[in-house]
Amino acid sequence: MDVQAKIKETVSANRVVLFMKGSPKFPQCKFSNVATQILDACGAKFVAIDVLQDMDIREGIKQYANWPTIPQLYVDGEFIGGADIMRSMYQSGELQTLLAKA
């Protein structure tokens, strides 16, 4: 299975997916840390994919969403954004509404 198909399968099979550097318990960059804190504050159950464990996914995810940075949040198969977008959506209450549906 090619990396794009693998990513598509992951975001389709799980309602909330965060592609990040490290794990929720041990984030490896400040933006991944912020992203997991926001999701935790929303009480979201999510699947975390550590891009540092797989270079194909690390590069492939950037092409998948046409978005150059990690972390990347997907809800119901749709690309939402990175840490800055998550932060502004959280502050406006939009992210909580989106996650409540998920």
Side-chain angles (χ1 to χ4, degrees):
M1 180 184 304
D2 82 326
V3 72
Q4 296 298 315
K6 190 174 173 183
I7 291 168
K8 184 173 175 49
E9 183 181 296
T10 301
V11 299
S12 300
N14 301 284
R15 300 199 86 175
V16 183
V17 181
L18 182 67
F19 289 85
M20 64 179 292
K21 294 178 181 173
S23 68
K25 287 195 183 340
F26 298 104
Q28 298 295 311
C29 80
K30 70 178 185 178
F31 297 109
S32 291
N33 188 32
V34 165
T36 57
Q37 287 178 349
I38 290 169
L39 290 173
D40 288 345
C42 293
K45 292 195 181 343
F46 64 97
V47 173
I49 308 294
D50 180 0
V51 300
L52 300 178
Q53 300 296 320
D54 187 331
M55 289 319 259
D56 290 340
I57 288 185
R58 183 176 185 171
E59 290 310 310
I61 194 65
K62 296 174 186 177
Q63 293 155 7
Y64 185 81
N66 197 20
W67 189 260
T69 58
I70 294 164
Q72 292 185 13
L73 177 67
Y74 292 80
V75 178
D76 291 328
E78 185 182 341
F79 175 61
I80 304 303
D84 292 342
I85 292 168
M86 289 174 66
R87 182 184 291 122
S88 67
M89 287 178 70
Y90 176 72
Q91 289 167 342
S92 73
E94 194 181 347
L95 188 62
Q96 295 87 322
T97 304
L98 183 69
L99 291 169
K101 293 182 200 158

